[in-house]
Amino acid sequence: LVAWTSVDALTHAVEAATCSEANPVSDALAEKACALIFRYLRRAAADPKGDAEAREAVLRAATLAGMAFGNADVAGVHCLSESLGGLFDVPHGLAN
């Protein structure tokens, strides 16, 4: 759950930074979100109940990624993954 949720947040950030509506604000938010996910995801997924620092970091990353796509948009990956998730009952982060 931690891994797939973080992959969803990573996808939010990457899409916000690469979509046609990307802008300096969304880019800055997306960049920070990606950096946090790359730094802390492995730890958060390995010890989801014990590593509070890593959990807080991926939570912050998910929030920043949400702010990034709120200032820009998501792209085709999310459009496809929502359909695939519904059709095949796969986790949204995995579908991304």
Side-chain angles (χ1 to χ4, degrees):
L1 181 62
V2 171
W4 292 134
T5 303
S6 297
V7 170
D8 182 34
L10 179 62
T11 307
H12 288 157
V14 170
E15 287 187 291
T18 60
C19 76
S20 61
E21 300 297 317
N23 59 73
V25 172
S26 61
D27 288 350
L29 292 164
E31 181 179 345
K32 182 63 176 179
C34 288
L36 287 168
I37 291 168
F38 290 140
R39 180 171 179 188
Y40 289 100
L41 172 56
R42 189 177 305 267
R43 279 177 45 192
D47 189 10
K49 293 184 179 180
D51 193 337
E53 178 187 20
R55 284 194 331 263
E56 187 274 333
V58 294
L59 172 66
R60 193 163 19 109
T63 301
L64 293 168
M67 293 168 66
F69 83 76
N71 279 280
D73 203 354
V74 291
V77 170
H78 264 83
C79 297
L80 292 171
S81 71
E82 289 166 358
S83 298
L84 291 172
L87 288 172
F88 300 107
D89 194 31
V90 295
H92 183 62
L94 174 60
N96 284 326

